[in-house]
Amino acid sequence: MSRTRRLRKVGVGFITILVFAAGLSLSLVAAQAANPAATLGVYRGAASPSGVAAFSQWLGSPVNYAEDFLPGDSWATIEAPTWWLNAWKGTPYRMVYGVPIIPDTGGSLAEGATGAYNAHFKTLAQNLVAAGQGNAILRLGWEFGGGWYHWHVANATDAANYAAFWRQTVTTMRAVAPNLAFDWNPVWGWQSVDPAASYPGDAYVNFIGIDVYDQSWTTNYSDPAARWTDALNAQYGLTWHRNFAAAHGKPMSFPEWGVATRSDGHGGGDAPYFIQQMTQWIAQNNVAYQVYFAFDAPDGAHNLMDGSFPNSAAAFKTAIGTSSPTQTTTGTSTGATTTTATTTTTAPPTTTTTTAPPTTTTTPPTTTTTPPTTTTTPPTTTTTPPTTTTTPPTTTTTPAPPTTTTTRTTTTKTTTTKTTTTTSKPPKRKVVKRPRLWSNSRASISLMKPTMLARKK
């Protein structure tokens, strides 16, 4: 055999190996993208590893990502969020942090664009590494297109400054912690400036994210299918997100998503259809990670664990939990994959009436040192039925806890309609002031006009 023929055969064999390896790599990537369980993360409240563990137990499936929001009270709290970093130190989760880029004490996108704040973010990177979280995913100035944060992009100048500020920050932090990842995270739906104008460039971005909740201001928003169509086709909605990420060769992410009950009625409530569609969308696209927002916030309820959304909880467990269908992935030399993840169905509502595990009510040992911001429990817990005061005096023979015997003497004389009417009014959600933790923790969508979220015609 001539030397030329031998070299030709060696070359063909080498190319075959490369093609096979590339196909296998693509198959593995596609398999992960097609499995929502592998990409799952959750938010369960500030500095709450126990809450994440309780969610995993409730779901019957491991959680790989945990999300939290760093405080934005001042530059000191942004660069040294000690309470948060210590809470998550040593946990098995990859952290996703919302990072304020302008504190409550003041600042501007224009100043950030010059590098004036680089020292603060250098210190933050050093603290992340010291806490063993040098591979965290950072959502710098998330939801910048909305009007509820100090880093709001309102015009073309803001957009240019935001992009330059982002480049300054990423360059600074990567110099200290090269394994940090950065999620460029615009807000879903209409906004005054095209988000693309705020994009800092592919070299400075690892993921392209968007936050999605089952809420809508479309004409027939009470229809689950109409809400999903709006989520897909709204200006800068899910379809835009997928196309923009693909055009830049970046994986998608959903740093926040969930069902929603809103005081203004524009949330979908218990909506298994949204869960089905969203998990299928995740399975069918190149999604690196996704975080379910399992927490009742001042602007809406989203927690699947407390029985408020039984049908949605069943659909979520079917799609992602232990009852999720087996994913079948076939890898070939071309990287083609086939999955069965899209065959999710909603389980009967009765299967979801189980209460959350007792561990969900336990607070982490560090709660004794928590700042005032830990008072984010929803006010609806005080809406105990007032009908207990209307029981006639003749029922004093019924067994009751020892503590009720002291009040029995007063109820026999004071069971009037006046007392029941004063206690029957549940607290209004709009009266509740947002605790300090929420000042820079996530979008308070209910605080802005619905017209800003709706698509402009």
Side-chain angles (χ1 to χ4, degrees):
M1 182 183 297
S2 67
R3 184 167 179 266
T4 301
R5 292 183 63 187
R6 284 198 303 270
L7 290 174
R8 185 180 300 132
K9 291 187 69 175
V10 170
V12 170
F14 182 70
I15 292 173
T16 301
I17 292 173
L18 287 178
V19 170
F20 176 78
L24 179 61
S25 176
L26 288 174
S27 297
L28 292 174
V29 171
Q32 181 177 0
N35 183 2
T39 61
L40 180 63
V42 67
Y43 175 70
R44 290 281 292 133
S48 183
S50 64
V52 175
F55 182 86
S56 179
Q57 183 180 354
W58 168 84
L59 182 62
S61 182
V63 172
N64 296 317
Y65 300 85
E67 184 169 68
D68 213 336
F69 298 83
L70 302 186
D73 304 76
S74 66
W75 281 118
T77 61
I78 291 175
E79 66 182 31
T82 306
W83 183 70
W84 285 260
L85 298 186
N86 286 344
W88 296 105
K89 187 176 183 178
T91 62
Y93 314 112
R94 186 177 185 186
M95 292 307 302
V96 180
Y97 285 118
V99 180
I101 59 174
I102 297 175
D104 294 344
T105 51
S108 70
L109 294 173
E111 288 184 352
T114 67
Y117 307 142
N118 287 356
H120 301 297
F121 293 103
K122 179 180 179 180
T123 302
L124 174 59
Q126 292 169 339
N127 287 327
L128 285 166
V129 172
Q133 298 166 40
N135 69 336
I137 299 170
L138 305 183
R139 303 164 62 200
L140 300 175
W142 71 101
E143 297 181 354
F144 54 85
W148 45 83
Y149 289 130
H150 300 309
W151 48 87
H152 173 217
V153 171
N155 51 54
T157 300
D158 287 345
N161 286 330
Y162 181 92
F165 190 177
W166 180 286
R167 289 190 291 269
Q168 290 277 2
T169 303
V170 170
T171 301
T172 298
M173 299 189 77
R174 279 180 176 168
V176 176
N179 292 326
L180 289 174
F182 297 88
D183 192 328
W184 184 76
N185 184 187
V187 67
W188 172 91
W190 179 87
Q191 45 211 287
S192 57
V193 180
D194 185 341
S198 301
Y199 190 67
D202 294 340
Y204 303 90
V205 172
N206 297 97
F207 309 109
I208 293 178
I210 200 170
D211 301 338
V212 185
Y213 291 93
D214 186 27
Q215 55 192 12
S216 176
W217 283 261
T218 192
T219 303
N220 52 341
Y221 63 86
S222 60
D223 178 12
R227 291 196 305 274
W228 178 250
T229 299
D230 189 37
L232 286 175
N233 300 330
Q235 187 179 24
Y236 312 124
L238 291 178
T239 301
W240 172 87
H241 173 228
R242 178 188 61 188
N243 295 342
F244 188 87
H248 290 272
K250 300 296 179 181
M252 300 159 58
S253 73
F254 295 100
E256 297 177 31
W257 75 274
V259 295
T261 295
R262 295 175 54 92
S263 59
D264 61 8
H266 283 270
D270 189 8
Y273 181 81
F274 174 78
I275 297 289
Q276 291 171 347
Q277 296 303 313
M278 190 65 193
T279 53
Q280 289 178 15
W281 183 261
I282 291 168
Q284 294 165 359
N285 287 285
N286 181 24
V287 177
Y289 77 94
Q290 40 113 359
V291 175
Y292 187 86
F293 201 88
F295 188 80
D296 291 339
D299 60 335
H302 317 284
N303 188 8
L304 295 175
M305 299 173 61
D306 61 3
S308 300
F309 305 95
N311 297 317
S312 300
F316 192 89
K317 287 186 173 182
T318 299
I320 297 181
T322 53
S323 59
S324 58
T326 303
Q327 305 250 347
T328 303
T329 304
T330 305
T332 67
S333 60
T334 60
T337 61
T338 59
T339 68
T340 59
T342 59
T343 58
T344 57
T345 57
T346 306
T350 55
T351 61
T352 63
T353 55
T354 56
T355 58
T359 54
T360 59
T361 59
T362 60
T363 56
T366 57
T367 54
T368 57
T369 61
T370 56
T373 57
T374 56
T375 59
T376 57
T377 54
T380 55
T381 57
T382 61
T383 58
T384 54
T387 55
T388 56
T389 60
T390 60
T391 56
T394 57
T395 60
T396 55
T397 59
T398 58
T403 56
T404 61
T405 57
T406 58
T407 60
R408 186 71 64 184
T409 56
T410 59
T411 57
T412 56
K413 298 295 184 180
T414 60
T415 53
T416 63
T417 58
K418 181 179 296 183
T419 57
T420 57
T421 55
T422 56
T423 58
S424 62
K425 294 182 180 180
K428 296 181 181 179
R429 295 185 67 89
K430 289 184 179 298
V431 176
V432 179
K433 294 183 179 180
R434 302 197 334 168
R436 191 65 172 172
L437 175 63
W438 288 89
S439 62
N440 267 328
S441 290
R442 70 179 292 264
S444 177
I445 301 177
S446 63
L447 298 182
M448 64 182 300
K449 294 181 180 179
T451 53
M452 292 184 67
L453 290 173
R455 284 183 295 144
K456 280 197 169 181
K457 301 297 181 183

